[in-house]
Amino acid sequence: MNKDIARVMITEEELETLISRLAKEIDRDYADSGRRVLLLGILKGSVVFMGELMKKITIPVEIDFMKVSSYGSSTKSSGNINILLDLVRKDIDECDIIIVEDIIDSGRTLMYLVEYLLHKGANSVRTCTLLDKVSRREVDFQPDYVGKVIEDEFVVGYGLDYDEKYRTLPYIGVLSPEVYGSTGN
Ligand code: IMP
Ligand code: MG
């Protein structure tokens, strides 16, 4: 195991199981959409989850990506959302969008993005997150599809990073506090 990981929180096998469940839920709910179903991954954290999820969904879906940043320290988000890569398509009114996110913390990123995409004219917008730190919520936001609710610990791997590191780990691990404790974050 990586020396900076205190413990494995979610194994590869468990991730596989919970992503299969999410794909089934999406298959069920969007089978009769009649519109363009768009999986919208939020870069970069969602890439691994998105890749697994899209392989398991059996109904026809399109994929796209947005990139956002929220200013703050490396282990806390601030809620000031900046769009670094926008969704550009003329037929957004024909789209049922499912935002695919790695983890929800304060809830501000997804709350903002749902509003933003509805304002842009999307027919519908729902949210799918691999992980949810429910206890950290600062705004009244409830995702539609949740892989797993987790405790308030900083996790990395499976796309999630600390300072751009650990994204390639195949499991979700708890980062040793010593790794970020000394930086003051
Ligand atoms: P929110 O806007 O506060 O919900 O922030 C969500 C974003 O914060 C996620 O997309 C991640 O980029 C980041 N984040 C929150 N908690 C963690 C964590 O435990 N590990 C890695 N990134 C996290
Ligand atoms: Mg993120």
Side-chain angles (χ1 to χ4, degrees), residues 42-46 68 101-103 161 167:
I42 305 307
L43 297 173
K44 302 171 200 170
S46 74
V68 301
E101 175 67 302
D102 52 358
I103 186 167
D161 75 309
R167 290 194 197 273

Side-chain angles (χ1 to χ4, degrees), residues 46-64:
S46 74
V47 285
V48 181
F49 173 41
M50 175 89 161
E52 286 303 309
L53 183 68
M54 63 195 253
K55 285 190 291 181
K56 293 179 190 297
I57 290 174
T58 63
I59 59 163
V61 294
E62 300 175 26
I63 67 162
D64 222 318

Side-chain angles (χ1 to χ4, degrees), residues 92-126:
I92 194 163
D93 56 317
E94 292 169 35
C95 292
D96 285 328
I97 298 177
I98 305 166
I99 303 175
V100 178
E101 175 67 302
D102 52 358
I103 186 167
I104 307 180
D105 186 77
S106 72
R108 293 183 192 279
T109 304
L110 282 185
M111 182 127 154
Y112 176 86
L113 282 176
V114 170
E115 278 302 308
Y116 178 79
L117 292 164
L118 286 173
H119 187 75
K120 257 169 120 63
N123 180 69
S124 72
V125 182
R126 283 187 184 165

Side-chain angles (χ1 to χ4, degrees), residues 42-46 68 70 74-79 81 101-111 131 133 136-139 141 150-157 159-162 167 173:
I42 305 307
L43 297 173
K44 302 171 200 170
S46 74
V68 301
S70 67
S74 309
T75 54
K76 287 190 182 67
S77 66
S78 67
I81 315 300
E101 175 67 302
D102 52 358
I103 186 167
I104 307 180
D105 186 77
S106 72
R108 293 183 192 279
T109 304
L110 282 185
M111 182 127 154
L131 306 174
K133 287 187 190 172
R136 301 256 316 161
R137 202 69 96 251
E138 291 169 14
V139 291
F141 177 83
I150 64 166
E151 298 298 313
D152 181 14
E153 290 179 290
F154 198 83
V155 291
V156 295
L160 289 92
D161 75 309
Y162 170 69
R167 290 194 197 273

